[in-house]
Amino acid sequence: MVELDAVRASGGGRARRWRGPRRGADAMQTLAAGRTIAAGLRGGIDGSGAGGAARGLRRLLDADAVGLGGLHGELAWSGRPFDVHAAEQLADTALRTDARAAGGGAVALPVHARDELAGVLVVAGPVPGAAVREAASWVGEALERALLENSAAVAQQAELRALRAEISPHFVYNSLTTIASFVRSDPERSRDLMLDFAEYTRHSLARHGDYTTIAGEFRAIEAYLALARAVLGDRLRVQVRIAPEILPVALPYLVLQPIVENAVRHGVELPGSSGLVQVSGEADGTDCVIIVEDDGPGMDPEYASAVLAGCGTPGSLGLVNVDRRLRTVFGAGYGLVIETAVGAGARVVLRIPRFQPGVVVS
């Protein structure tokens, strides 16, 4: 939309002076259209949202018709070009030659994502060539963002599988051996430990949604600690203090358990060692802070930094995977902090928001 400002011409009459577009309103419309286009392309240029992306582009370009298509399959149209068959032939030509094709009042441009041909954009109507080229570039960038988002989701699932794979066979063997040792001498305790073992493996290995609650994580932690105490006996002492108000807080599945297991494994489980593992959690304003600490041998602070940077030993993957998943979900201001020194034990601090849009237990 443009505005005309009345000014007095030199001859005494009135003329109209063009004042240009209403920049604020047009900018908001452009941004809204950009969000619509990007949302429609999350499933790919030939996905179910391609039609919505084509509608957004058509409004943005003020075109007669806009079509989007992948490397194979039909075009998703918004509006209809004068000659649909001719427009589709232009699209085929653009895909085959990886170059612009035009004719009959329409133009087809190849769309690239990550420097590879990803699809085609067809625009029909009196739209400037520069605008069509910018639209094709815009579509390509939206596809690249969608690919990155999908890659991040795949990486998160891979990290979760890695955490599950880190369940110690040695711990499982010792747990089952300990349970078996109580079958005759203390059948009731053997039964309770078997139930703990079932809860521990169910939480660690079974399929879950993306998120759970702190209460859900602590049920598995309590089962793990019961088994660990049965295996280690008096060598392991445990203190757990969790404020009730944080129990419903949602967080990614399997983030607390690996931290507690790490404290037991490296702080107490070493041959000839014993120690105390403390777990505490409380609200801190709009955040939730959970601390897991042990009085074991600790580690060099530089090595602790290397662990969170992904440069530690293979056995330290649990902490770095947890930290990355937390930062991906909640942002760079959240995640893990390791406070440690040689001979001074280790303290792992986990900070997450008490509420985050989209983080909901299903």
Side-chain angles (χ1 to χ4, degrees):
M1 182 179 292
V2 299
E3 290 185 0
L4 296 176
D5 186 24
V7 296
R8 192 167 300 280
S10 58
R14 295 181 66 84
R16 295 281 183 180
R17 183 176 63 198
W18 180 63
R19 296 181 61 189
R22 294 187 303 170
R23 295 183 179 178
D26 285 357
M28 292 300 295
Q29 292 173 2
T30 301
L31 290 172
R35 286 195 298 271
T36 300
I37 295 164
L41 293 172
R42 283 191 185 125
I45 197 169
D46 51 1
S48 59
R55 285 191 294 274
L57 285 167
R58 183 187 175 197
R59 287 193 295 268
L60 196 63
L61 297 171
D62 195 21
D64 295 337
V66 168
L68 286 171
L71 300 178
H72 310 284
E74 298 181 355
L75 293 169
W77 285 103
S78 174
R80 303 298 289 179
F82 178 74
D83 189 335
V84 176
H85 179 68
E88 290 176 344
Q89 286 186 324
L90 289 178
D92 290 339
T93 300
L95 288 172
R96 187 177 64 255
T97 62
D98 195 9
R100 177 181 181 275
V107 60
L109 286 181
V111 173
H112 297 89
R114 292 183 176 177
D115 297 325
E116 294 183 357
L117 182 63
V120 64
L121 167 68
V122 182
V123 178
V127 180
V132 177
R133 290 192 297 272
E134 187 64 28
S137 177
W138 198 350
V139 171
E141 290 174 1
L143 291 175
E144 288 184 359
R145 287 194 296 274
L147 289 171
L148 286 173
E149 290 175 1
N150 291 335
S151 297
V154 170
Q156 284 192 45
Q157 290 301 316
E159 289 174 348
L160 186 56
R161 288 193 295 270
L163 286 174
R164 287 171 173 157
E166 279 198 345
I167 295 175
S168 169
H170 179 67
F171 175 75
V172 171
Y173 173 80
N174 284 345
S175 297
L176 292 175
T177 302
T178 301
I179 292 169
S181 71
F182 288 116
V183 169
R184 291 187 178 179
S185 62
D186 194 343
E188 189 65 24
R189 188 178 185 192
S190 176
R191 176 184 176 279
D192 290 342
L193 289 174
M194 183 57 75
L195 292 175
D196 288 330
F197 184 79
E199 174 63 23
Y200 169 74
T201 54
R202 182 198 67 81
H203 191 77
S204 300
L205 301 176
R207 288 186 176 273
H208 292 265
D210 292 332
Y211 306 108
T212 184
T213 61
I214 289 177
E217 282 280 283
F218 267 98
R219 282 194 294 271
I221 289 171
E222 288 171 354
Y224 166 77
L225 290 174
L227 292 167
R229 282 195 297 267
V231 172
L232 298 172
D234 293 338
R235 292 170 54 195
L236 172 62
R237 291 170 290 121
V238 177
Q239 291 181 359
V240 178
R241 300 187 307 275
I242 302 296
E245 61 265 25
I246 71 169
L247 291 177
V249 172
L251 75 173
Y253 163 73
L254 205 61
V255 298
L256 296 180
Q257 184 179 321
I259 302 174
V260 174
E261 291 188 25
N262 184 76
V264 173
R265 187 181 306 174
H266 298 289
V268 182
E269 204 175 60
L270 298 175
S273 65
S274 62
L276 171 66
V277 172
Q278 300 180 80
V279 184
S280 62
E282 62 182 5
D284 182 15
T286 58
D287 290 345
C288 173
V289 178
I290 298 173
I291 299 172
V292 179
E293 53 188 319
D294 65 77
D295 57 0
M299 68 184 85
D300 185 280
E302 292 186 1
Y303 178 72
S305 297
V307 166
L308 291 184
C311 302
T313 61
S316 64
L317 286 176
L319 292 184
V320 66
N321 283 355
V322 167
D323 184 59
R324 286 175 178 172
R325 290 169 62 217
L326 289 173
R327 294 179 188 276
T328 298
V329 172
F330 297 119
Y334 297 97
L336 301 184
V337 174
I338 302 178
E339 300 171 359
T340 185
V342 176
R347 189 171 187 259
V348 179
V349 181
L350 179 151
R351 179 178 290 271
I352 59 173
R354 296 176 67 182
F355 173 76
Q356 177 84 354
V359 180
V360 180
V361 179
S362 58

mmCIF file of all heavy atoms in Angstrom, residues 94-112:
data_model
loop_
_atom_site.group_PDB
_atom_site.id
_atom_site.type_symbol
_atom_site.label_atom_id
_atom_site.label_comp_id
_atom_site.label_asym_id
_atom_site.label_seq_id
_atom_site.Cartn_x
_atom_site.Cartn_y
_atom_site.Cartn_z
ATOM 1 N N ALA A 94 13.929 -26.438 -15.953
ATOM 2 C CA ALA A 94 14.775 -25.854 -14.910
ATOM 3 C C ALA A 94 15.446 -26.938 -14.074
ATOM 4 O O ALA A 94 16.624 -26.829 -13.712
ATOM 5 C CB ALA A 94 13.949 -24.933 -14.022
ATOM 6 N N LEU A 95 14.706 -28.009 -13.768
ATOM 7 C CA LEU A 95 15.290 -29.105 -12.992
ATOM 8 C C LEU A 95 16.324 -29.876 -13.803
ATOM 9 O O LEU A 95 17.368 -30.291 -13.282
ATOM 10 C CB LEU A 95 14.194 -30.057 -12.518
ATOM 11 C CG LEU A 95 13.272 -29.546 -11.408
ATOM 12 C CD1 LEU A 95 12.125 -30.517 -11.170
ATOM 13 C CD2 LEU A 95 14.060 -29.337 -10.122
ATOM 14 N N ARG A 96 16.038 -30.066 -15.103
ATOM 15 C CA ARG A 96 16.946 -30.847 -15.948
ATOM 16 C C ARG A 96 18.240 -30.104 -16.229
ATOM 17 O O ARG A 96 19.326 -30.690 -16.246
ATOM 18 C CB ARG A 96 16.236 -31.204 -17.262
ATOM 19 C CG ARG A 96 17.034 -32.170 -18.136
ATOM 20 C CD ARG A 96 16.261 -32.554 -19.375
ATOM 21 N NE ARG A 96 16.017 -31.425 -20.259
ATOM 22 C CZ ARG A 96 14.848 -30.822 -20.397
ATOM 23 N NH1 ARG A 96 13.800 -31.234 -19.695
ATOM 24 N NH2 ARG A 96 14.698 -29.804 -21.222
ATOM 25 N N THR A 97 18.139 -28.786 -16.408
ATOM 26 C CA THR A 97 19.321 -27.999 -16.791
ATOM 27 C C THR A 97 19.950 -27.276 -15.615
ATOM 28 O O THR A 97 21.040 -26.726 -15.743
ATOM 29 C CB THR A 97 18.935 -26.963 -17.850
ATOM 30 O OG1 THR A 97 17.965 -26.046 -17.297
ATOM 31 C CG2 THR A 97 18.345 -27.649 -19.081
ATOM 32 N N ASP A 98 19.251 -27.265 -14.463
ATOM 33 C CA ASP A 98 19.697 -26.511 -13.288
ATOM 34 C C ASP A 98 19.931 -25.045 -13.661
ATOM 35 O O ASP A 98 20.923 -24.428 -13.273
ATOM 36 C CB ASP A 98 20.968 -27.124 -12.698
ATOM 37 C CG ASP A 98 21.259 -26.609 -11.280
ATOM 38 O OD1 ASP A 98 20.382 -25.921 -10.721
ATOM 39 O OD2 ASP A 98 22.353 -26.874 -10.760
ATOM 40 N N ALA A 99 18.978 -24.492 -14.440
ATOM 41 C CA ALA A 99 19.102 -23.108 -14.904
ATOM 42 C C ALA A 99 17.701 -22.519 -15.082
ATOM 43 O O ALA A 99 16.698 -23.237 -15.126
ATOM 44 C CB ALA A 99 19.870 -23.047 -16.218
ATOM 45 N N ARG A 100 17.657 -21.213 -15.164
ATOM 46 C CA ARG A 100 16.398 -20.498 -15.338
ATOM 47 C C ARG A 100 15.746 -20.879 -16.659
ATOM 48 O O ARG A 100 16.407 -21.045 -17.683
ATOM 49 C CB ARG A 100 16.670 -18.998 -15.297
ATOM 50 C CG ARG A 100 15.464 -18.099 -15.545
ATOM 51 C CD ARG A 100 15.907 -16.637 -15.497
ATOM 52 N NE ARG A 100 14.796 -15.725 -15.707
ATOM 53 C CZ ARG A 100 14.347 -15.335 -16.892
ATOM 54 N NH1 ARG A 100 14.934 -15.792 -17.996
ATOM 55 N NH2 ARG A 100 13.328 -14.487 -16.990
ATOM 56 N N ALA A 101 14.405 -21.013 -16.595
ATOM 57 C CA ALA A 101 13.631 -21.261 -17.812
ATOM 58 C C ALA A 101 12.421 -20.338 -17.785
ATOM 59 O O ALA A 101 11.761 -20.202 -16.752
ATOM 60 C CB ALA A 101 13.189 -22.723 -17.882
ATOM 61 N N ALA A 102 12.118 -19.681 -18.936
ATOM 62 C CA ALA A 102 11.023 -18.712 -18.963
ATOM 63 C C ALA A 102 10.261 -18.824 -20.263
ATOM 64 O O ALA A 102 10.782 -19.291 -21.291
ATOM 65 C CB ALA A 102 11.568 -17.295 -18.787
ATOM 66 N N GLY A 103 9.006 -18.375 -20.213
ATOM 67 C CA GLY A 103 8.184 -18.358 -21.402
ATOM 68 C C GLY A 103 6.715 -18.349 -21.039
ATOM 69 O O GLY A 103 6.318 -18.854 -19.983
ATOM 70 N N GLY A 104 5.893 -17.727 -21.903
ATOM 71 C CA GLY A 104 4.455 -17.724 -21.691
ATOM 72 C C GLY A 104 4.021 -16.991 -20.437
ATOM 73 O O GLY A 104 3.031 -17.366 -19.801
ATOM 74 N N GLY A 105 4.767 -15.963 -20.039
ATOM 75 C CA GLY A 105 4.387 -15.189 -18.864
ATOM 76 C C GLY A 105 4.736 -15.853 -17.547
ATOM 77 O O GLY A 105 4.224 -15.445 -16.498
ATOM 78 N N ALA A 106 5.608 -16.868 -17.585
ATOM 79 C CA ALA A 106 6.012 -17.554 -16.358
ATOM 80 C C ALA A 106 7.519 -17.768 -16.378
ATOM 81 O O ALA A 106 8.161 -17.746 -17.436
ATOM 82 C CB ALA A 106 5.295 -18.888 -16.213
ATOM 83 N N VAL A 107 8.086 -17.975 -15.210
ATOM 84 C CA VAL A 107 9.511 -18.238 -15.093
ATOM 85 C C VAL A 107 9.716 -19.324 -14.044
ATOM 86 O O VAL A 107 9.004 -19.376 -13.037
ATOM 87 C CB VAL A 107 10.296 -16.959 -14.714
ATOM 88 C CG1 VAL A 107 9.822 -16.394 -13.380
ATOM 89 C CG2 VAL A 107 11.794 -17.225 -14.666
ATOM 90 N N ALA A 108 10.660 -20.228 -14.304
ATOM 91 C CA ALA A 108 10.987 -21.309 -13.370
ATOM 92 C C ALA A 108 12.452 -21.190 -12.987
ATOM 93 O O ALA A 108 13.319 -21.034 -13.860
ATOM 94 C CB ALA A 108 10.710 -22.669 -14.004
ATOM 95 N N LEU A 109 12.717 -21.241 -11.691
ATOM 96 C CA LEU A 109 14.093 -21.161 -11.194
ATOM 97 C C LEU A 109 14.407 -22.374 -10.337
ATOM 98 O O LEU A 109 13.581 -22.787 -9.509
ATOM 99 C CB LEU A 109 14.295 -19.897 -10.349
ATOM 100 C CG LEU A 109 14.387 -18.563 -11.068
ATOM 101 C CD1 LEU A 109 14.610 -17.451 -10.051
ATOM 102 C CD2 LEU A 109 15.529 -18.573 -12.071
ATOM 103 N N PRO A 110 15.585 -22.961 -10.537
ATOM 104 C CA PRO A 110 15.980 -24.057 -9.641
ATOM 105 C C PRO A 110 16.222 -23.534 -8.229
ATOM 106 O O PRO A 110 16.661 -22.400 -8.045
ATOM 107 C CB PRO A 110 17.277 -24.591 -10.279
ATOM 108 C CG PRO A 110 17.819 -23.436 -11.055
ATOM 109 C CD PRO A 110 16.627 -22.654 -11.530
ATOM 110 N N VAL A 111 15.911 -24.339 -7.245
ATOM 111 C CA VAL A 111 16.123 -23.999 -5.836
ATOM 112 C C VAL A 111 17.237 -24.877 -5.287
ATOM 113 O O VAL A 111 17.228 -26.098 -5.485
ATOM 114 C CB VAL A 111 14.834 -24.209 -5.019
ATOM 115 C CG1 VAL A 111 15.098 -24.018 -3.532
ATOM 116 C CG2 VAL A 111 13.748 -23.260 -5.501
ATOM 117 N N HIS A 112 18.192 -24.254 -4.614
ATOM 118 C CA HIS A 112 19.337 -24.982 -4.075
ATOM 119 C C HIS A 112 19.343 -24.921 -2.555
ATOM 120 O O HIS A 112 18.994 -23.893 -1.959
ATOM 121 C CB HIS A 112 20.657 -24.409 -4.618
ATOM 122 C CG HIS A 112 20.802 -24.545 -6.093
ATOM 123 N ND1 HIS A 112 20.342 -23.593 -6.974
ATOM 124 C CD2 HIS A 112 21.335 -25.543 -6.851
ATOM 125 C CE1 HIS A 112 20.599 -23.973 -8.220
ATOM 126 N NE2 HIS A 112 21.192 -25.165 -8.170
#
